[in-house]
Amino acid sequence: MATIKPFKAVRPFPEKAQDVAALPYDVYNRKEAAAAARGKLDSFLRVDRPETTLDDRMKMDDPFVYETARKNLDKLFYRKALTQDNKDCLYIYELIMDGRSQVGLVVCTAIDEYLNNTIKKHELTRADKEEDRIKHVNACDANTGPIFLTYRGEDAINVIVDKWRKENAPVYDFVSEDGIIHRAWVIDDDSMINRLVKKFKNVKSLYIADGHHRSASAVKVGLMRREANPNYTGEEEFNYFLSVLFPDEQLYIMDYNRVVKDLNGLSIEEFLNALSEKFEIEDRGSEAVKPQQKGSFGLYLDNKWYLLTVKEGVYDLADPVNSLDVAILQNNVLVPILGIGDIRTDERIDFVGGIRGLKELERRVNDDMTLAFSMYPTSIEELMNIADADLLMPPKSTWFEPKLRSGLFIHKLS
């Protein structure tokens, strides 16, 4: 049973929504974030990545950085960019990319359901990244970035949401710089809110699609505040965190590709010979390889593309984790041949979202890497099955598009 809760969102005035809305903080490195925020005084990136407004020499974990996040959030109120609703509402958020729509419900979800695994996870988190967001949430006294959740679709929920969209005008309707259409509606009718809350009680589980670090941090902040307030009732806002819930059938997972710094001391011939033990190798020359089915991979090396097809018997089809393409590559190439240690932290490997295209893989290899692997996307069903089995996917297994914008909905903790 999933619990959803309406809340008084902090959100932009309609005429400011496009200026405030920003891509998630973690899609940028520091240099990219600074460039994206430059000259945009209303951009929420100045809150989510406050170091973009400070001297480059400032360490990103300096306490002053988090103080700046809070100040930059306050400035958005002073600049008449943000306001707060005066009653608890639910919200609808639609994104349209290349003509394909996905419609989510913006709500608060319970930290207790994260703890009891009603909200299911599929990835490990890193302590340093959690700590960063814990400090950020505490400083801002708010969940500033929504957690992207999914669930096995319920027609009854879709009917209610679609009816509201058809009968009411959106409060936001704009196109972001990357061509994504963003629309939002406010559900302020108590009877409609109660109907949706009741319908979600029929949803057995929610699944984190994107935002494992944000959700883990939000939960830990909630637990810290419970400890500081031993007489808490459970109704306080810090017992909940900001989420956007999308039905699974609407989601689109793109490939999440890999680039590697070197061949681990091997020559090209030695590397290809090692690959041939587990993969059929087809030389494709200059033709970029975008895998079309599970068990196939593109390899870009020495200005040439190869199609790799895993040989029969290399992995167990019945194993939900090790049968993932990202696991096949990790278990048979990245670790044993290329000597990558911890996939999450090894500096010899980097990850490139499929939205950047195969040309980006070629560019990285020609610039600062030696080889690249193009991947076949993980499916949403694979993700949910692994989460249901209380198992974990390898790092960087999924890349969802389009990306939810931060700043359109903010949840205050007190």
Side-chain angles (χ1 to χ4, degrees), residues 189-206:
D189 179 83
D190 289 338
S191 64
M192 190 66 71
I193 291 170
N194 291 334
R195 285 180 65 193
L196 284 167
V197 170
K198 185 178 294 186
K199 291 297 182 185
F200 267 94
K201 292 186 182 299
N202 296 326
V203 173
K204 182 179 178 182
S205 300
L206 303 174

Side-chain angles (χ1 to χ4, degrees), residues 149-381:
L149 299 179
T150 188
Y151 60 96
R152 289 188 167 88
E154 293 274 345
D155 288 342
I157 294 173
N158 293 342
V159 167
I160 296 172
V161 170
D162 289 344
K163 184 175 188 294
W164 188 270
R165 289 167 58 223
K166 290 174 182 176
E167 295 178 355
N168 297 273
V171 291
Y172 307 140
D173 189 349
F174 64 89
V175 180
S176 53
E177 293 176 349
D178 55 359
I180 308 300
I181 298 171
H182 302 264
R183 295 185 182 128
W185 291 258
V186 179
I187 302 178
D188 55 3
D189 179 83
D190 289 338
S191 64
M192 190 66 71
I193 291 170
N194 291 334
R195 285 180 65 193
L196 284 167
V197 170
K198 185 178 294 186
K199 291 297 182 185
F200 267 94
K201 292 186 182 299
N202 296 326
V203 173
K204 182 179 178 182
S205 300
L206 303 174
Y207 301 81
I208 299 175
D210 197 13
H212 280 80
H213 288 96
R214 275 167 281 161
S215 54
S217 302
V219 170
K220 288 184 177 179
V221 169
L223 293 176
M224 290 163 56
R225 298 206 174 188
R226 284 182 175 181
E227 187 174 352
N229 297 273
N231 295 321
Y232 75 91
T233 66
E235 296 303 313
E236 298 87 354
E237 292 299 326
F238 59 71
N239 294 288
Y240 300 88
F241 58 90
L242 178 65
S243 301
V244 187
L245 281 53
F246 292 91
D248 61 337
E249 71 271 8
Q250 294 184 12
L251 300 188
Y252 178 45
I253 303 180
M254 296 189 75
D255 42 307
Y256 209 165
N257 303 310
R258 279 82 168 118
V259 289
V260 182
K261 193 78 173 175
D262 56 63
L263 290 176
N264 195 30
L266 300 173
S267 67
I268 291 176
E269 183 179 4
E270 289 170 332
F271 174 65
L272 293 175
N273 284 338
L275 280 182
S276 67
E277 294 183 13
K278 301 289 183 69
F279 299 86
E280 302 290 348
I281 304 175
E282 181 183 338
D283 188 333
R284 289 290 186 89
S286 61
E287 178 191 351
V289 176
K290 186 175 179 65
Q292 299 299 308
Q293 61 185 15
K294 277 182 61 61
S296 63
F297 308 81
L299 165 65
Y300 184 65
L301 173 64
D302 195 31
N303 295 311
K304 187 183 292 186
W305 280 95
Y306 301 86
L307 173 63
L308 310 180
T309 305
V310 67
K311 293 181 177 178
E312 189 174 347
V314 168
Y315 65 95
D316 181 359
L317 285 167
D319 187 321
V321 175
N322 289 321
S323 62
L324 293 173
D325 279 14
V326 289
I328 294 169
L329 186 73
Q330 179 174 308
N331 296 339
N332 295 283
V333 182
L334 299 179
V335 174
I337 299 177
L338 293 174
I340 302 295
D342 186 337
I343 300 294
R344 297 185 299 158
T345 59
D346 196 311
E347 294 183 354
R348 293 174 53 232
I349 188 169
D350 200 3
F351 304 87
V352 180
I355 193 70
R356 295 178 181 253
L358 299 184
K359 287 294 183 184
E360 176 66 9
L361 299 185
E362 295 180 356
R363 187 195 69 79
R364 287 295 302 273
V365 170
N366 295 331
D367 183 18
D368 64 332
M369 293 293 184
T370 296
L371 69 162
F373 296 96
S374 57
M375 309 291 296
Y376 186 74
T378 302
S379 73
I380 189 66
E381 190 62 26

